[in-house]
Amino acid sequence: MSGTKQRRPAAEGWFTAADGSTRLLGTRCTSCGTPYFPRNELACRNPGCAGPKDGSELVPYEFSTRGTVWSYTDARYQPPPPYVAADPFRPFAIVAVELEAERMVVLGQAVPEIGVDDLEVGMRVELTEGVLYEDDEAVYTVWMWRPAS
């Protein structure tokens, strides 16, 4: 076995980067098309859904990979558990992004080299995978936002 650590998602089932393209994973109502992130396993919560009132069918859904910055801020303190931070903790930018296709806002970290001074409302960004932290066993990854290429 090589000395390379295994890469694991820090939030299992919330995103994938298996095919080289990072995608958020959720569900979508088959009746009205309402998307849910994170996954909704119960029933469609859209009051305008014309689907069956005993619960619409929700199917797995991969979200679009691009959007525009809706808002952003600095995280200058270490979030409490269950968040696991790199040691030592380094401040990071948090970005609220309106997804291009779904028109819903999703939060995520900006890539480490992008801070609040590099961001602006309306800026186009895209998803990528980044390292949240690592331990003796593995490197734990999350989805992050970076300026769109």
Side-chain angles (χ1 to χ4, degrees):
M1 183 173 163
S2 72
T4 304
K5 292 182 183 181
Q6 183 181 25
R7 291 178 73 87
R8 295 182 188 157
E12 188 69 46
W14 286 44
F15 74 101
T16 182
D19 63 358
S21 173
T22 306
R23 304 290 292 234
L24 297 174
L25 301 174
T27 50
R28 186 173 200 124
C29 175
T30 58
S31 295
C32 69
T34 300
Y36 292 96
F37 179 80
R39 297 177 69 84
N40 170 12
E41 301 291 344
L42 300 175
C44 185
R45 296 186 302 262
N46 180 349
C49 182
K53 297 306 169 202
D54 59 345
S56 299
E57 182 180 4
L58 298 166
V59 294
Y61 180 73
E62 290 187 1
F63 285 78
S64 55
T65 61
R66 292 177 174 249
T68 56
V69 174
W70 189 73
S71 186
Y72 56 90
T73 191
D74 255 345
R76 296 223 161 256
Y77 65 92
Q78 183 170 332
Y83 182 87
V84 179
D87 188 20
F89 172 75
R90 288 185 260 350
F92 56 90
I94 300 171
V95 188
V97 174
E98 182 177 6
L99 296 176
E100 194 169 80
E102 296 80 12
R103 305 291 314 236
M104 66 183 281
V105 176
V106 175
L107 293 176
Q109 290 183 354
V111 292
E113 59 273 13
I114 300 295
V116 294
D117 292 338
D118 304 308
L119 296 167
E120 60 185 57
V121 171
M123 177 181 193
R124 298 211 12 92
V125 291
E126 62 189 2
L127 273 172
T128 189
E129 180 186 36
V131 175
L132 180 63
Y133 71 97
E134 62 182 284
D135 61 18
D136 293 338
E137 296 178 17
V139 173
Y140 296 89
T141 62
V142 293
W143 70 92
M144 292 184 176
W145 298 103
R146 67 178 175 206
S149 54

